[in-house]
Amino acid sequence: MEFKSVGIKGLGYYVPEKVMTNFDFEKIIDTSDEWIRTRTGIEERRFAAVDQATSDLCVEAAKKALDRANMTVEDLDLILVATCTPDYLVQATACLVQHKLGGKNIPCFDLNAACSGFIYGLTVANGMIKGGVYKNILVIGAETLSRIIDMQDRNTCILFGDGAAAAVVGEVEEGYGILSTYLGAEGEDDDILRTPAGGTKKPNDAQTIENRENFVKMKGQDVFKFAVHALPNATKNALNTADVSANDLTMIFPHQANVRIIESAAKRIHVPIEKFYMNLQKFGNTSSASVGLALGEALEKGLVKKGDLIALTGFGAGLTYGSIIMRWTY
Ligand code: ACO
């Protein structure tokens, strides 16, 4: 059976206006611009305004993606939002996005694969379109991480930022689009990276709030150790399935967590670091939005052209990981 070629027909991204620099953090916690830059590469990140929630960031990115694809909300068959910072625990953020875009009766759901979310979302959309379930799917990766970070915890709060990236996924010219996908997860019930309270396991109460368990907690070194293997392994697996070599890639869009993790991945897959697009300096780690945000900015700068072979690759809480190889569509 011949499957159709599926790819991104329009991509858009959005970051909130408010810039939080490393120097701003120096005023709040015991840290320094020098420490943050040398350990992570991050110089600044964006924080959402008080009246902005994840769905608002999604809508801004979605409008740009739809414009680029020359489509309207009526052309969509499904809206899928990848996020670990939804507007509400109950009621999918994707439903709110549908309403704010003026859509009616479009199926909607959220997906939580943390920082691998955009890659997971694109993979789901690819499968559904190839399988003939839907024609056009809006995939959004978006986060308002500023709402779940502990501004007293210097180990985590300096890493994260807010943003959104949206892709209209549909049938594209033969030979273009998604060539292969690879997803994985290691779901051990440990506390490497999670928000301990506020879910069904430990609902928030006065004690959890006092312990600051309503904020995200991370064992940075454990995540680091996981990431330096997961990132190159996921990329290699997707390259093998697509039957292309790392040398053929024009550019790689990794999850924007830490410049040292990306440098290590570059060595492991023997690709020059210059091919790894990075904008974590400006936006920090935006989890589900990060890979799309990087691709969106590179497109805006004219760094990716029709026919270029690119890889998206990420890892995140779960622990999840994944990679996609695609031949760029426009
Ligand atoms: N400013 C100054 N000092 C700090 C800061 C800070 N912001 N944060 C930690 N330190 C201190 C620590 O307290 C420690 O001090 P000590 O030696 O007196 O105890 C020292 O710096 C070293 O701390 P480490 O944790 O060993 O620092 P490390 O070099 O491992 O860097 C970091 C920490 C940047 C978090 C690193 O481990 C990392 O990047 N890990 C991966 C994190 C990641 O990618 N997370 C996101 C992925 S998943 C997702 O995105 C949802």
Side-chain angles (χ1 to χ4, degrees):
M1 184 180 165
E2 268 298 300
F3 289 110
K4 44 176 94 83
S5 295
V6 174
I8 295 178
K9 301 170 80 138
L11 193 115
Y13 75 92
Y14 171 78
V15 286
E17 273 172 34
K18 185 180 162 53
V19 177
M20 272 293 283
T21 66
N22 292 348
F23 300 103
D24 293 325
F25 277 97
E26 285 184 357
K27 294 176 203 143
I28 305 170
I29 46 166
D30 180 15
T31 191
S32 66
D33 169 61
E34 203 262 335
W35 193 97
I36 302 171
R37 262 190 301 109
T38 50
R39 299 291 176 120
T40 70
I42 299 166
E43 293 166 22
E44 56 187 49
R45 67 293 284 145
R46 302 296 178 94
F47 276 9
V50 280
D51 60 348
Q52 282 181 314
T54 298
S55 64
D56 300 304
L57 313 192
C58 288
V59 167
E60 296 305 319
K63 283 180 186 162
K64 292 181 191 166
L66 284 165
D67 273 357
R68 185 62 190 77
N70 213 3
M71 286 186 186
T72 69
V73 67
E74 276 96 54
D75 298 313
L76 298 174
D77 302 305
L78 175 71
I79 298 174
L80 196 171
V81 173
T83 187
C84 55
T85 48
D87 287 23
Y88 305 106
L89 273 184
V90 175
Q91 187 180 20
T93 300
C95 293
L96 299 165
V97 172
Q98 182 222 63
H99 177 70
K100 289 179 185 182
L101 285 174
K104 289 259 181 297
N105 202 25
I106 305 164
C108 296
F109 69 92
D110 288 1
L111 171 163
N112 180 353
C115 310
S116 312
F118 195 66
I119 290 167
Y120 266 65
L122 290 176
T123 303
V124 171
N126 179 46
M128 283 185 145
I129 296 166
K130 279 207 164 87
V133 182
Y134 294 124
K135 280 200 167 73
N136 294 305
I137 301 180
L138 178 64
V139 176
I140 309 174
E143 304 288 1
T144 315
L145 292 158
S146 59
R147 302 276 153 74
I148 65 157
I149 51 176
D150 183 349
M151 291 300 271
Q152 296 177 11
D153 176 8
R154 67 178 184 172
N155 292 297
T156 54
C157 69
I158 48 112
L159 299 172
F160 299 103
D162 302 337
V168 177
V169 184
E171 192 173 349
V172 296
E173 221 175 302
E174 204 186 323
Y176 288 82
I178 295 171
L179 305 184
S180 71
T181 62
Y182 175 82
L183 300 181
E186 290 175 15
E188 280 86 355
D189 188 7
D190 54 29
D191 52 4
I192 288 184
L193 182 50
R194 64 160 56 132
T195 305
T200 55
K201 177 92 173 175
K202 202 182 219 188
N204 271 316
D205 57 21
Q207 194 63 54
T208 62
I209 302 291
E210 195 185 319
N211 297 344
R212 307 186 75 77
E213 291 174 286
N214 54 321
F215 295 118
V216 68
K217 303 265 181 281
M218 180 184 69
K219 290 184 179 157
Q221 289 189 359
D222 290 338
V223 177
F224 198 99
K225 280 182 213 143
F226 166 78
V228 295
H229 293 287
L231 214 56
N233 286 350
T235 315
K236 278 184 199 161
N237 277 304
L239 284 165
N240 286 344
T241 309
D243 201 18
V244 292
S245 119
N247 294 328
D248 301 329
L249 293 170
T250 314
M251 210 171 270
I252 301 181
F253 296 90
H255 171 43
Q256 306 286 311
N258 185 316
V259 72
R260 291 188 292 142
I261 293 172
I262 296 170
E263 281 167 357
S264 161
K267 283 198 189 110
R268 282 171 205 256
I269 56 169
H270 310 292
V271 170
I273 188 72
E274 294 72 35
K275 284 195 179 185
F276 282 75
Y277 189 83
M278 281 189 251
N279 60 6
L280 59 88
Q281 299 84 343
K282 284 192 302 182
F283 302 132
N285 178 347
T286 56
S287 192
S288 300
S290 123
V291 171
L293 210 59
L295 177 57
E297 196 186 57
L299 281 164
E300 204 171 62
K301 290 182 178 169
L303 298 174
V304 180
K305 301 202 169 54
K306 184 173 177 179
D308 283 352
L309 194 66
I310 62 170
L312 312 185
T313 183
F315 65 93
L319 298 163
T320 60
Y321 46 96
S323 188
I324 293 179
I325 307 297
M326 57 170 89
R327 194 167 291 289
W328 191 247
T329 30
Y330 62 83

